[in-house]
Amino acid sequence: MEITDWLVTATGECQPRPAAKAWDLIRDRYYFHRFLTDITDLLDQAPHELEEWNFLPQIRMRVRQLFTNSYWLKTQQPDPTSKAGVSIFTLYDEIGYPLTVQNVLSMPGVVSPIHNHGTWGVTVIIKGQEKHTFWRSAGSQHQPFKIEPAAERVFGPGEIVSFMPETIHQVTTVGETPTLTFQLYGDTQPQARFEFQPEQATAKAF
Ligand SMILES: [Fe+2]
């Protein structure tokens, strides 16, 4: 069976995870607002924000359910106007809202900084391809932000990549066509979100 769901650990290991069968996820009228309600209901069960990542299996399942049932999701995309080659289309937001929910369009050849998110995340590739390079900490008392490469993998349409708050990655848009992804993140802890410079073993707020 083709593996479609992945978890990237805090040490940059890309582990296959069981995916629900599409047949079992088909549901009439699985609107985006139902999905958001399912996710916030799930997260309400976490005793603390920092333990929300424990619910990644259930969150991945709901993301796959949304991807399976929502044509709307696949048609929401920003105009590719950004000079940097990455355009973000926010799907929902309000003051104090704990989630980031967005579709992101990225042009071929775009390379992101090496970064973590300071929260859990789940991405599904809607169209196109992207290469993720995963890094792990090799830090010591003197060089706390030293990192080393851990793994690399190209993901394509229908694949789900989930990661933990400490997961470090760099994303390159590969292929000839723009890549559209749906991205869901928890509440970012700004003091835990970094952009890394491996040559200098340094990091700055991201
Ligand atoms: Fe990222």
Side-chain angles (χ1 to χ4, degrees):
M1 203 187 79
E2 199 185 342
I3 294 161
T4 53
D5 287 19
W6 303 90
L7 171 71
V8 187
T9 67
T11 54
E13 275 177 70
C14 189
Q15 302 177 343
R17 281 291 182 262
K21 292 190 182 70
W23 180 256
D24 294 329
L25 297 175
I26 291 170
R27 197 164 134 191
D28 229 8
R29 292 152 53 95
Y30 195 63
Y31 295 125
F32 188 59
H33 62 83
R34 289 196 193 278
F35 164 79
L36 292 179
T37 304
D38 282 343
I39 298 296
T40 45
D41 283 354
L42 266 174
L43 297 178
D44 283 345
Q45 298 173 42
H48 187 274
E49 249 169 39
L50 296 177
E51 292 174 51
E52 288 179 358
W53 65 267
N54 281 309
F55 291 86
L56 276 174
Q58 293 93 324
I59 298 170
R60 280 196 302 271
M61 195 268 271
R62 290 300 176 200
V63 169
R64 184 155 294 292
Q65 186 151 41
L66 180 70
F67 181 73
T68 301
N69 292 288
S70 176
Y71 175 74
W72 176 86
L73 180 79
K74 295 165 191 168
T75 59
Q76 303 307 299
Q77 68 175 54
D79 292 327
T81 47
S82 141
K83 277 206 187 85
V86 180
S87 311
I88 294 173
F89 189 93
T90 299
L91 294 164
Y92 186 77
D93 197 16
E94 62 178 270
I95 291 170
Y97 195 63
L99 302 172
T100 299
V101 267
Q102 59 194 24
N103 275 3
V104 178
L105 188 69
S106 185
M107 295 299 125
V110 166
V111 183
S112 81
I114 302 169
H115 63 279
N116 69 357
H117 284 268
T119 184
W120 56 269
V122 179
T123 288
V124 56
I125 318 291
I126 297 174
K127 60 182 181 190
Q129 288 189 312
E130 60 186 27
K131 182 179 83 175
H132 288 235
T133 306
F134 303 111
W135 297 69
R136 65 177 159 239
S137 171
S140 61
Q141 202 183 350
H142 300 294
Q143 290 188 308
F145 291 112
K146 191 175 176 200
I147 58 170
E148 61 190 19
E152 185 175 289
R153 183 165 196 100
V154 175
F155 300 98
E159 284 191 282
I160 288 179
V161 192
S162 60
F163 46 84
M164 305 198 19
E166 304 83 6
T167 303
I168 304 167
H169 71 165
Q170 180 175 40
V171 183
T172 305
T173 309
V174 294
E176 303 294 312
T177 55
T179 297
L180 182 66
T181 54
F182 167 71
Q183 303 180 356
L184 171 67
Y185 302 103
D187 211 358
T188 301
Q189 311 291 313
Q191 75 286 0
R193 191 179 187 199
F194 299 104
E195 175 183 335
F196 296 83
Q197 294 81 36
E199 299 81 16
Q200 294 89 28
T202 54
K204 59 182 184 187
F206 178 58

